[in-house]
């Protein structure tokens, strides 16, 4: 099977997919889409990702978009280790935690939203940073109360919510969001970082040389 990941090194949705691919030991090729240069809106990317975003996973020439849908496909095609539990209650709890990040934090802090705040409302860098941090703190505060006893968010093994958490905390640290109040989230993040598969997906490990 030919698997190609179209990603950007600093994109957290791409980072989620890299973690999932690595945890499952899938062999894949990476083809970067430079978001800073606007390559996401070029015809080649739009042809595979109609929203003009990353990531896209191309499987034998078929494009799969949306990081959670991609990871759901991976879980079906490569069942071990499972990232979305089979047990109905565990499954819904995992999805709920993952969606706090993927639906309620990440989209409103996205590059295109920040650009829109600037173009439509004249937000300067300080205002955009404040916006960014606000939604992270609000979402992580709820997620901290939804986390289990650990070490991972759902228990003994990493699941989809941990896969979403690691990139979100990476972003939080980049923007100097204080994380002291989030002991369970920090514990899950640290436990995940011990997996080589997770560490190898980190932006600084996959950054293409000499590109922004
Ligand atoms: N819900 C989508 C979000 C994808 C997304 O927002 N990707 C960002 C990078 S993390 C992007 O491509 N941004 C480009 C832009 O905003 O122009 C997913 O999970 O795949």
């Amino acid at each position: 099977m030919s698997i190609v990941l179209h990603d950007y090194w600093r994109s957290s949705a791409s980072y989620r997919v890299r973690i999932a691919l690595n945890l499952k030991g899938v062999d894949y090729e990476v083809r970067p889409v430079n978001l800073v240069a606007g390559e996401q809106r070029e015809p080649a990317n739009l042809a595979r990702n109609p929203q003009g975003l990353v990531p896209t996973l191309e499987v034998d020439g078929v494009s799969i978009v949306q990081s959670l849908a991609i990871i759901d496909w991976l879980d079906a095609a490569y069942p071990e280790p499972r990232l979305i539990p089979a047990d109905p209650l565990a499954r819904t709890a995992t999805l709920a935690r993952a969606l706090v990040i993927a639906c309620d934090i990440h989209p409103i802090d996205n590059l295109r939203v920040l650009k829109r705040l600037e173009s439509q409302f004249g937000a300067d860098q300080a205002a955009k940073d404040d916006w960014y941090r606000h939604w992270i703190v609000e979402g992580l505060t709820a997620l901290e109360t939804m986390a289990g006893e650990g070490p991972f968010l759902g228990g003994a093994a990493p699941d989809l919510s941990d896969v979403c958490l690691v990139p979100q905390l990476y972003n939080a640290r980049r923007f100097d969001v204080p994380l002291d109040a989030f002991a369970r989230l920090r514990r899950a993040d640290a436990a995940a970082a011990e997996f080589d598969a997770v560490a190898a997906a980190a932006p600084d490990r996959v950054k293409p040389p000499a590109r922004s």
Side-chain angles (χ1 to χ4, degrees), residues 16 34 48 57 71 73 81 89 95 100-101 123 135 138 160:
R16 291 174 199 152
N34 188 331
R48 59 184 163 247
L57 195 70
I71 295 170
W73 175 80
L89 273 181
L95 289 173
V100 168
I101 294 172
W135 297 113
E138 188 175 286
L160 179 68

Side-chain angles (χ1 to χ4, degrees), residues 8 10-17 33 35-36 38 40-41 45 49 51-56 64-70 102-103 106-107 109-115 171:
Y8 179 63
R10 208 170 226 168
S11 144
S12 43
S14 302
Y15 190 177
R16 291 174 199 152
V17 174
V33 177
L35 300 189
V36 175
Q40 68 273 35
R41 288 182 298 277
N45 193 57
N49 187 312
Q51 290 179 282
L53 299 172
V54 290
T56 306
I64 311 177
V65 297
Q66 287 287 343
S67 60
L68 268 52
I70 293 169
C103 289
H106 175 263
D109 277 351
N110 202 353
L111 180 63
R112 59 188 175 153
V113 171
L114 299 175
K115 281 187 171 165
N171 285 347

